[in-house]
Amino acid sequence: MTAYQRATVHGWLLLLPAMSCLALFTHWPAVASIIDSFYSTPRPRRPSRFIGLDNYEAMIADPIFWRALVNNFWFAVGTIPLSIGLAILMAIWVNDRIKGQSLVRMAYFTPTILPMIAVANIWLFFFTPQYGLIEQVVQLFGGNATNWLGSGDTALFAVIVVAVWKEAGFFMIFYLAALQGISPSLGEAAAIEGASRWYYFRRVLFPLLMPTTLFVLINAMINAFRMVDHIVVMTKGGPDNATILLLYYIYQVGFSFWDTAYAATLTCVLLALLAIIAFVQYGWLERRIHYR
Amino acid sequence: MAAVELRGVTKAWGETRAVDNISFRVEPGHLVALLGPSGCGKSTTLRLIAGLEEASDGVIRIADRDVTHAPPAGRGIAMVFQNYALFPHLTVAENIIFGLRVRALDKAERDARLKEAATILGLGKLLDRKPSQLSGGQQQRVALGRAIVARAPVCLMDEPLSNLDAQLRVEMRREIRDLQRRLGITMVYVTHDQVEAMTMADQVILMREGKIEQDGSPADLYERPETIFVARFVGAPPMNVTPLAGLAGAEAAWPAPPDGLPRERAALGVRAEHLDIVEGGLPADIVAVEYLGGETLVEASLGSHRVIARRPGKIAARQGERIGLHVPEGAAHWFDMSNGRRLSGPA
Ligand SMILES: Nc1ncnc2c1ncn2[C@@H]1O[C@H](COP(=O)(O)OP(=O)(O)OP(=O)(O)O)[C@@H](O)[C@H]1O
Ligand SMILES: [Mg+2]
């Protein structure tokens, strides 16, 4: 064996563990889901058989599927711009030379290191009717009592707030890193020219942060379809499916109703959605962004 | 036209005093060069004038208005940064007119000023490029353009030519100087290149470790250096400054120190072009001979000291040869070694 061949074999051997894990736990399940979605769910007396697009027809007729999709849309609309906006604000604030800088950074970052289950439990307490923190504050100012998680009108909003709280600190870290790569003399040059802070942000900082924003945006989109832990803890999709999200619905169908074929069908929809998002963002947005 | 005046200005970061109680005045329409070695506080002084740093102490006045606590935009200044500070996502044209956009000047005026600046700086073909597609020298010219179009009465420049090649630098020096005269701009110009300072400036301020060593015209600095440091910093080759103590034979051959300066504390300064090579002068051994075409530099050792004589034309001298050095009457500058200050010398 020549040295070159040996290096090649070594290279593949080093890649093998990670590759086999990736194939086994990511690629294969995705492919299997697509195949399963064309079969019926196996029952004790009726083994699964090929049924073509029947599962998809059932899905289109399923009002809860549509409810989950719409909820997911609003969840994305509610969380993504808000968490990105907050992240930028916090990053700029923390990037300035302020007293107790590292403490503030830590404080903003803390929600990110907490497990989502713990976060959800903390917020469960905040949202508790009558005794919860929010209710106590509202009552202090003489507001009306609201059952934030128990009412169909406010439940989705409540879980959006939790997601934003959790995500903004994480995105802030990326913006902070990007900001530290921008020379402070740009800000000084703008200040000498008389640019206000807002003008400087709009015309200089924000365009320079665009690559970061693209990256964060993709992450935020994916998270919007991926985040269900706090739904499990806080609302279980209720009340009356007001907070049901696509992934949570898949979990319900697959592991509460054991309708695995239908769950596979829903999974295919989720995969398709994520693929489209990634495709649009990398293909289209990337070309419109300045890279140094 | 606006004067710039600093009075007792200090900038301290904790224990370090980057700028230490300096005072000077730049007359309206003058160009002053802030000169000094690296880390002496030139940039800091400039940033204090610009308002990018807050003075720890002292008063800064621009156009007879106290601006010590005014924001940078309220001082009527333009500035060229040491690292250019160009906006990487904007084209050259957008970079140049950035400030005009901020001030919402109308498009015709913006275009006119852009065109003028582009012509002066030779940037015409580059206006649509991004800064990353420019060489260092081109970036520097864009930064200059941004300062030119601002038409501010005071312009601050932090080593604006340090990245240009020798020829372009000479051209740009002249351009900047012309422009500054024509528009009547008061300019504070930071440089560590003494040739640049001497050729361009009406007034040179030589700094060292946050303090002003000397503030005067280029001729003052060259002909009447106030300290040994100035004498050695200005001029190429630097002034020969030789302590008299232990210089055998100097009593007879060289001028005596002025009254009140004991021999053991005296240092004699003499410019290379004033140092004569004569029969019967103070004996010295030639260490090196540098023939430069129009003149020759002769480096010789006097005991443990080295001195350089600059003689016109080509002279017949070789390494190792023994020569005599003579200091003519009136060419001697006397310094007190105990504090490095000038005592007397040619007026
Ligand atoms: N932000 C700062 N904090 C602490 N010390 C500083 C700061 N900025 C500058 N200094 C110190 O102040 C001194 C003067 O710095 P300055 O940048 O004014 O030097 P300079 O004369 O412009 O040098 P150069 O020719 O290398 O640009 C230096 O010793 C530097 O270390
Ligand atoms: Mg500097």
Side-chain angles (χ1 to χ4, degrees):
Chain A
M1 230 179 2
T2 66
Y4 176 76
Q5 280 169 329
R6 196 170 313 133
T8 311
V9 170
H10 283 173
W12 283 106
L13 280 178
L14 286 172
L15 278 178
L16 195 63
M19 264 207 336
S20 45
C21 281
L22 201 66
L24 190 63
F25 295 110
T26 308
H27 298 148
W28 172 241
V31 174
S33 296
I34 296 174
I35 296 172
D36 282 353
S37 71
F38 296 111
Y39 285 80
S40 65
T41 304
R43 301 285 178 205
R45 255 174 256 174
R46 266 184 304 148
S48 93
R49 62 193 169 81
F50 184 77
I51 53 169
L53 292 175
D54 282 9
N55 277 327
Y56 288 90
E57 274 163 27
M59 181 182 75
I60 288 168
D62 178 4
I64 302 180
F65 162 71
W66 290 108
R67 184 72 198 259
L69 213 55
V70 169
N71 278 350
N72 229 151
F73 172 76
W74 287 118
F75 185 75
V77 168
T79 52
I80 295 168
L82 204 60
S83 54
I84 291 183
L86 269 178
I88 294 180
L89 266 182
M90 296 191 306
I92 289 177
W93 159 252
V94 173
N95 192 41
D96 276 353
R97 272 171 277 172
I98 52 165
K99 279 203 183 111
Q101 193 184 42
S102 44
L103 207 69
V104 179
R105 274 186 204 177
M106 264 274 287
Y108 283 153
F109 194 55
T110 311
T112 303
I113 22 184
L114 291 178
M116 194 60 178
I117 305 289
V119 169
N121 273 304
I122 296 169
W123 278 88
L124 209 51
F125 161 69
F126 287 173
F127 284 131
T128 308
Q130 276 140 46
Y131 311 108
L133 187 71
I134 295 174
E135 277 307 284
Q136 294 201 6
V137 173
V138 168
Q139 277 164 22
L140 202 67
F141 291 99
N144 292 334
T146 318
N147 186 349
W148 294 97
L149 292 172
S151 148
D153 298 332
T154 53
L156 188 60
F157 169 76
V159 296
I160 285 175
V161 168
V162 177
V164 169
W165 186 76
K166 168 94 178 153
E167 297 237 278
F170 183 53
F171 295 153
M172 177 199 74
I173 297 301
F174 295 102
Y175 280 112
L176 193 58
L179 281 175
Q180 303 209 320
I182 295 176
S183 158
S185 59
L186 292 188
E188 293 172 350
I192 285 178
E193 301 287 0
S196 64
R197 279 191 73 124
W198 169 239
Y199 188 93
Y200 173 64
F201 174 76
R202 196 159 51 84
R203 294 270 303 166
V204 180
L205 272 191
F206 190 70
L208 289 180
L209 290 175
M210 264 324 255
T212 311
T213 304
L214 173 71
F215 174 78
V216 165
L217 197 62
I218 291 171
N219 271 284
M221 289 268 200
I222 291 170
N223 279 353
F225 287 95
R226 215 185 53 172
M227 234 200 269
V228 285
D229 327 24
H230 68 311
I231 305 283
V232 176
V233 175
M234 293 173 74
T235 63
K236 301 214 161 28
D240 189 21
N241 291 328
T243 59
I244 197 153
L245 300 181
L246 198 50
L247 189 54
Y248 185 73
Y249 187 43
I250 292 172
Y251 165 78
Q252 250 187 355
V253 169
F255 300 101
S256 300
F257 311 154
W258 292 105
D259 190 349
T260 49
Y262 188 40
T265 312
L266 293 169
T267 305
C268 289
V269 173
L270 184 61
L271 284 175
L273 273 176
L274 292 178
I276 291 171
I277 291 169
F279 184 75
V280 167
Q281 289 185 328
Y282 276 118
W284 177 67
L285 276 179
E286 184 143 274
R287 254 179 282 135
R288 309 178 37 117
I289 287 176
H290 150 85
Y291 282 101
R292 260 174 282 185
Chain B
M1 295 248 221
V4 175
E5 193 174 3
L6 275 72
R7 243 184 260 146
V9 173
T10 295
K11 177 70 196 179
W13 278 289
E15 285 296 293
T16 40
R17 289 168 154 257
V19 168
D20 194 356
N21 189 23
I22 65 171
S23 306
F24 64 85
R25 181 180 161 86
V26 187
E27 295 304 328
H30 276 210
L31 192 158
V32 61
L34 286 182
L35 180 65
S38 188
C40 69
K42 306 182 294 289
S43 293
T44 306
T45 307
L46 205 68
R47 292 170 59 81
L48 284 165
I49 300 174
L52 298 174
E53 305 286 354
E54 180 91 9
S56 314
D57 199 7
V59 179
I60 300 170
R61 298 170 67 84
I62 295 176
D64 298 320
R65 201 163 56 87
D66 185 343
V67 295
T68 314
H69 303 291
R75 298 185 175 205
I77 53 153
M79 181 161 172
V80 177
F81 287 80
Q82 196 164 5
N83 61 359
Y84 324 134
L86 300 179
F87 303 112
H89 62 300
L90 298 179
T91 62
V92 168
E94 288 291 328
N95 261 291
I96 293 177
I97 61 167
F98 182 87
L100 307 186
R101 267 193 202 283
V102 173
R103 273 165 271 150
L105 250 69
D106 65 78
K107 188 164 169 5
E109 176 69 21
R110 278 203 317 252
D111 289 347
R113 289 201 199 176
L114 173 63
K115 197 152 165 265
E116 186 198 298
T119 315
I120 293 173
L121 299 165
L123 288 170
K125 292 208 182 66
L126 306 175
L127 289 179
D128 293 326
R129 298 236 195 126
K130 297 274 176 69
S132 59
Q133 300 164 321
L134 300 178
S135 72
Q138 289 166 337
Q139 293 184 25
Q140 208 149 38
R141 280 184 278 156
V142 177
L144 276 171
R146 198 165 57 191
I148 289 172
V149 297
R151 303 255 169 101
V154 174
C155 183
L156 312 174
M157 297 201 172
D158 198 346
E159 311 207 8
L161 306 183
S162 55
N163 275 324
L164 303 185
D165 63 48
Q167 191 192 345
L168 199 54
R169 189 183 314 196
V170 174
E171 275 170 37
M172 291 302 296
R173 255 187 229 156
R174 195 168 309 140
E175 287 289 359
I176 292 178
R177 183 65 164 144
D178 276 355
L179 205 73
Q180 177 263 334
R181 282 219 179 98
R182 201 165 72 230
L183 303 178
I185 301 172
T186 308
M187 193 174 281
V188 182
Y189 188 103
V190 166
T191 178
H192 61 249
D193 177 355
Q194 48 119 351
V195 178
E196 208 163 282
M198 302 297 274
T199 52
M200 290 177 75
D202 297 302
Q203 176 188 356
V204 178
I205 294 171
L206 181 56
M207 295 183 66
R208 179 197 188 190
E209 288 171 8
K211 295 197 179 66
I212 294 181
E213 282 282 310
Q214 188 167 357
D215 172 1
S217 70
D220 275 349
L221 263 73
Y222 191 79
E223 289 159 14
R224 280 188 60 85
E226 286 298 331
T227 63
I228 296 179
F229 180 80
V230 178
R232 303 277 308 164
F233 196 88
V234 174
M239 181 186 277
N240 301 303
V241 180
T242 326
L244 282 191
L247 209 57
E251 291 95 335
W254 276 12
D259 296 341
L261 182 62
R263 233 185 145 67
E264 55 274 15
R265 274 198 0 229
L268 171 67
V270 57
R271 287 277 171 210
E273 60 270 28
H274 295 149
L275 193 59
D276 282 340
I277 301 177
V278 295
E279 294 285 326
L282 192 61
D285 297 318
I286 295 183
V287 178
V289 179
E290 250 180 280
Y291 173 59
L292 301 175
E295 60 196 22
T296 307
L297 299 183
V298 179
E299 188 174 353
S301 68
L302 273 173
S304 58
H305 301 291
R306 294 280 169 93
V307 294
I308 297 179
R310 191 212 310 254
R311 307 309 321 160
K314 190 175 168 110
I315 64 166
R318 269 193 318 280
Q319 197 179 337
E321 206 175 307
R322 173 150 290 211
I323 50 171
L325 295 174
H326 172 69
V327 179
E329 263 324 301
H333 304 252
W334 290 103
F335 298 98
D336 185 342
M337 297 268 290
S338 62
N339 56 14
R341 300 204 70 81
R342 171 189 198 82
L343 267 189
S344 71

